[in-house]
Amino acid sequence: TNTETLGVGLDINVFKTKVEITSEVLDIIEFMKNNKCLLYVGSLDDRKNFRFTLKVFERINKINPQIKLVVIGKGKQSYVDKSFKMIDKSVVNNILHINQVENKFLKYIYPLSKAFILPSKLEIFGMVLLEAMYFGAPTITSINGGSTTLIENGKNGIIMEKFSEDEWCREILKLIEDNEY
């Protein structure tokens, strides 16, 4: 009855060190500077609701083809391949997928996103939420341990209660267009 939730911390020292940016990271930065990009960082699997992420992006991209999606993460290859085949090929062409980026480079990527999205079905905490928020990326996520600890809904991020493609699409577009957060 006398319980209090304490969030985990973020070791920001890894981000304070000056690093030489690799050509792959420079390509991501250039892509994001030249486009309105949504960002997803994490495992590409069912627990993280990756297929939902793609379906939401498909709707967004059909409404506004100028919006792109940057996906940083990997998963079982058969799952990833099947997931990308579930959406229109023209939409797949608007997705930049990178299997892995060293954590120290994310400080250059998060701030360039118009919205960071994390629609996990199950997330114990979600360090990527903390990282995205630390670097000022507008954040939209599902209800999970990290979101309910870190986000005051509507003030420093958005917590979506349902996995409705229409609702997620509407909130993401509103966030990008209004730039409220």
Side-chain angles (χ1 to χ4, degrees):
T1 58
N2 233 353
T3 306
E4 192 172 321
T5 301
L6 301 174
V8 298
L10 177 64
D11 180 6
I12 59 173
N13 290 323
V14 71
F15 299 119
K16 289 183 177 181
T17 307
K18 193 164 185 149
V19 293
E20 187 174 327
I21 303 173
T22 65
S23 61
E24 181 183 51
V25 173
L26 282 173
D27 290 345
I28 299 166
I29 292 168
E30 194 63 29
F31 181 83
M32 292 182 78
K33 282 183 175 177
N34 292 323
N35 295 287
K36 288 183 178 179
C37 292
L38 301 176
L39 177 64
Y40 171 88
V41 178
S43 302
L44 309 185
D45 57 35
D46 193 52
R47 180 178 66 86
K48 297 284 189 166
N49 218 357
F50 180 62
R51 288 182 177 162
F52 179 79
T53 300
L54 292 177
K55 295 303 272 179
V56 168
F57 176 68
E58 181 176 42
R59 287 179 184 235
I60 289 169
N61 192 247
K62 288 190 180 207
I63 293 167
N64 186 342
Q66 294 178 340
I67 298 173
K68 312 294 184 195
L69 174 63
V70 175
V71 173
I72 299 174
K74 56 187 170 182
K76 188 175 175 185
Q77 196 60 50
S78 60
Y79 176 86
V80 173
D81 291 344
K82 189 174 180 180
S83 298
F84 279 112
K85 286 179 183 171
M86 294 175 71
I87 60 173
D88 191 272
K89 284 185 181 187
S90 65
V91 174
V92 173
N93 292 333
N94 289 310
I95 299 173
L96 176 62
H97 174 219
I98 300 92
N99 280 328
Q100 186 173 346
V101 171
E102 286 184 66
N103 200 278
K104 64 186 177 185
F105 296 121
L106 291 174
K107 67 182 176 183
Y108 302 109
I109 296 170
Y110 282 119
L112 297 174
S113 67
K114 299 298 179 193
F116 173 77
I117 55 176
L118 187 68
S120 298
K121 292 178 185 175
L122 176 63
E123 190 74 59
I124 295 169
F125 182 78
M127 283 302 273
V128 289
L129 278 177
L130 191 53
E131 292 170 351
M133 293 173 73
Y134 178 76
F135 289 108
T139 303
I140 299 179
T141 187
S142 55
I143 295 174
N144 59 62
S147 69
T148 56
T149 302
L150 298 170
I151 296 174
E152 191 174 340
N153 200 16
K155 293 194 177 177
N156 64 343
I158 298 170
I159 301 173
M160 301 296 291
E161 293 186 19
K162 296 185 244 173
F163 293 112
S164 161
E165 291 173 20
D166 286 336
E167 288 179 31
W168 277 74
C169 180
R170 188 171 34 257
E171 284 299 320
I172 291 168
L173 287 170
K174 180 181 170 194
L175 183 66
I176 291 172
E177 291 164 3
D178 294 348
N179 202 15
E180 290 180 4
Y181 300 96

